[in-house]
Amino acid sequence: MEEGGVNVIDLTQGDESFVKELEGLGADELRECIQCGKCGATCPMALAGLEFFIKRIVHAANLGLRDVLLEDSSVWGCQSCNRCVEICPMDIKPYEVIQALRRAAIKVESCPANTYEGLRNLYKFGHAVFPKGFEERRKKAGLPEKPPTALSYDELRKKYQEVLKQTILEEIAPFPLD
Amino acid sequence: MAKIGVYVCHCGENIAGAVKIEEVMKYAETLPDVAVVRNYLFMCSDPGQDIIKKDIKDGLVDRVVVAACTPRTHEPIFRDAVESAGLNRYFLEMANIRDQDSWAHWHDKTGATEKAKRLIRSAVAKVRLAEPLEDRYGDMEKSVMVIGGGVAGMFAAIDLANMGLKVYLVERQPSIGGQMIKLDKTFPTMDCSACILTPKMVEVAQHPNIELITYAEVDSVKGYVGNFDITVKKKARYIDWDKCTGCGVCTQICPSRVPNEYNFGMNQRRAAYIEFPQAVPKKAVIDRANCLYFKSMDKTGKPACQICEKGIPPKGIQGCPAGAIKFDDKDEYINLKVGAVIIATGYKVMEKTHFKEYSPHSPDVVTAMEFERILSATGPTEGELKRPSDGTKPKTIAFISCVGSRDERYHSYCSKVCCMYMLKHARILKEKYPDIKLYLFFIDVRTAGKDFEEFYVYTRELGVKVIRGGRVSAVDVKPNGKLRVRGFDVDLCSPVELEADMVVLATAIEPPAGTDELGRLFAATCGREGFLREVHTKLYPVETASKGVFLAGCVQGPKDIPESIAQARAASSAAAALVIPGKIKFEAIISEVDREKCSSCGVCVPLCPYGAIRLEEYKGKEKAYIEPALCAGCGVCASACPSRAITFHGFTTEQILAQIDALAEA
């Protein structure tokens, strides 16, 4: 809601079913958060200046502020370092909240475009991110063209794709699963 | 000639670290009449005291100066030591070379040493003129009055009565029970408040040692510790309580309806009423101000209504079946003599009308105490959650904490129980109606108590939304009748707003009306916030400045039920310890009037903060008299007396002047 240029968050839009959804997606201890802020003090992304970072994300999730969270790309900035999980005194596992939010976001296709790129790569090549265009140089250095990772094992990758097809990805993937 | 012993204490490093002990001792030896000078690491320790005792027993010393810390804490110890060695206990003087010297002048060793010399010189000058004084004893009435029949007063009364003491329990309302009986449930155990308190109320009423005097107030107080003469005004009930059976007929047929105070005006009662269903004693009273009989009598001289008495015969409605209605009832004054008093008059919650920003005119904005009644089975909605404006069930409720507390415009203090009772309300609601949306706006959550934090986390798990740093700035009534709540959420770091069906204000806990006057009757003082003040926050938490007057419960400051009860039982123990021996020791350091010298000017009378001085007939003239039992030894009268007729024993004019001279000496 816009008011005098300041963004006022309308708590009435808070949706308890969103809280329950997140709990179902792995953030089971969400409601126990007492907002002590310890996670925020260790989070590298909060230190890096992401505005909506960990402590706020958990609180907004608790308030069921679906739109606020889905419209903000902060959850996708999490580096999965798990420092927050290690130090959380209430054992909320804040990283699990991030994961649950990502799961919820991807269901409604509310994620940054590069997320899909990564997802497609993961499906196709077994890596979300991997070095491309180094085949010639590798050959010159006497290495195999492809590194000995998923990239080199087409057989196994096919099996992996079969497994993925049986997951929720089947429903929500914004690209064809061939 | 006096033989003065000077004992210099090091107080570990506290004194010795700043004051050159050797130098001070050498100086003390040169003072007039000083026979012995010694020092020790801790004079207050047993070996330290033994040094003094030995010198007295050996006949070296007959006056003692201890140069050490504060007499506030240590004088009694040294007086006992002096007395046990055979000297009068008032042949002791302390020179405070710690608090007033070494601590204050820590970085100036030379200055501190010089000051120590001066202080000792002054103490020596005073103790040379010391007169032997004797402690006196008076008789003690073995009974206690407890004022206030809430949970604190009731527990104090029961404890005292169980010790075999006669207890008078005076309550302003028709029934005991206080504020606690109005609560629905109590945190953190979620006991039903009425269920756990009602048996206690019955116990109070039935205890053979407790005389329960309800619908009554303390009118005047005379006397002093051990012998209080208290006049209690029993308000006219207009119903003969000896006859009234509590059947409630009058409360059903009375035609005059007024807002019911017990439910904070959210429903109505009759002019003839029983305070609440489980009232103790269960007796009806007629509210004179609203009774049609009295209204018309005052106006026309003729009664217009006597329905409670006579019924409505044509309709077959019978009047009081016990014949208890007594329109000619009068206020009754009774005199009681007690040894000690416990004041436990509790608190009241602040009204919402002060807070214009929270739309107090809206019936859907209620105080937490009103909300408590809405939740209660004996409340105006019989425990059903209903919006006061239209009777619908609210879907969203916002709670606002610290309304009037932690607010310099109203009360600077924290009311202590609000965080917890807001969580309690949330929990009651969420357990009953899981779909209800609850938003709790706190400045910060204060749940310091046994099992309180666990209660908080559990309540959060129920899906209650906690907004911190969020004292709401405004509540507005929207055209659709809903309430818009505006606040700030520190955790989101964003302004927030909300549409609520109801708003509950956790208004501050205040001292009840008349606390100041009641305190004054007993010469007990109120603090800045209007609560009665304990003598010492840490060491004497239930004593007042007035001897024999004790405090229990919220009249001393906001507290929860367990704390109130703990304090009540502490107050009853303190009162019993005073009363049971049957004797009371009076201070020897008190003022006395030489009536031959007294010029009857009366200056001293209003100056005395303890009400100990009165003018009374002596040889045909009004002369001042100081009641030794009441005198607290402050000395105000002695310093003010223009005729020098008042001697302040232990601090005679000669002693004080000698002290000043010694201090002023170069």
Side-chain angles (χ1 to χ4, degrees), chain B residues 148-180:
Chain B
V151 61
M154 283 162 51
F155 269 85
I158 291 171
D159 272 11
L160 290 164
N162 284 343
M163 287 183 236
L165 294 168
K166 174 81 189 168
V167 182
Y168 302 96
L169 181 57
V170 179
E171 166 60 46
R172 179 150 51 172
Q173 295 298 322
S175 168
I176 52 172
Q179 302 292 344
M180 183 181 163

Side-chain angles (χ1 to χ4, degrees), chain B residues 231-253:
Chain B
T231 307
V232 172
K233 174 179 149 186
K234 284 168 87 173
K235 291 177 268 190
R237 298 114 198 251
Y238 306 106
I239 287 175
D240 187 340
W241 276 17
D242 291 333
K243 291 182 185 161
C244 176
T245 60
C247 70
V249 164
C250 57
T251 69
Q252 285 154 12
I253 59 178

